[in-house]
Amino acid sequence: MMKSFEEFQTFGKDGFEAYVASSTAVTKGMQAIAQEAADFSRKSFEKSTSAFEKLSAVKSFDKAVEAQQAFAKESYETMVAQMTKFNELYLATAKEAFKPFEASLAAFGVKAPK
């Protein structure tokens, strides 16, 4: 009986430590994501301001359309690249948050997703 109580106590302690490690990983991941979002927003604002200035300076309709199309294309490509980066950050955060629980779950036959 005493052995099972000690095992239960150890299991609870290990679970709590895994929870703390997982929470720390999530916090760090969310901080990285928030920083990335802030950087992206700042760069987007700067690019938009620059594009508006260029657009304001054009002398013909054709040049205005050309400048707008270039800005739209660059904005789209930047957004796709940024969403890919966010996806990678979220995935890395999830993997790091799951790591502390891998050993406990492996004891029950549950394998970590790849």
Side-chain angles (χ1 to χ4, degrees):
M1 177 96 176
M2 189 60 164
K3 183 178 180 191
S4 63
F5 177 74
E6 289 171 355
E7 287 174 351
F8 180 74
Q9 198 173 22
T10 300
F11 182 74
K13 179 179 174 271
D14 291 347
F16 179 75
E17 288 172 356
Y19 170 76
V20 169
S22 179
S23 295
T24 301
V26 169
T27 300
K28 286 180 182 178
M30 289 298 144
Q31 287 173 341
I33 291 165
Q35 183 62 50
E36 186 63 35
D39 291 345
F40 176 69
S41 294
R42 181 185 46 77
K43 289 175 189 174
S44 293
F45 179 76
E46 290 170 358
K47 286 181 181 181
S48 296
T49 302
S50 175
F52 180 75
E53 289 171 358
K54 287 177 187 174
L55 200 55
S56 299
V58 297
K59 303 290 184 207
S60 70
F61 180 74
D62 290 345
K63 291 291 181 186
V65 169
E66 186 179 306
Q68 176 59 30
Q69 287 175 340
F71 174 70
K73 182 177 187 263
E74 181 185 359
S75 295
Y76 174 77
E77 290 170 353
T78 302
M79 179 60 83
V80 169
Q82 189 63 42
M83 291 304 108
T84 300
K85 190 168 187 174
F86 278 134
N87 185 40
E88 291 167 357
L89 287 170
Y90 278 111
L91 187 59
T93 298
K95 285 182 179 181
E96 286 299 312
F98 185 72
K99 276 184 184 179
F101 297 106
E102 287 179 346
S104 297
L105 293 173
F108 295 104
V110 178
K111 292 185 180 181
K114 303 228 178 199

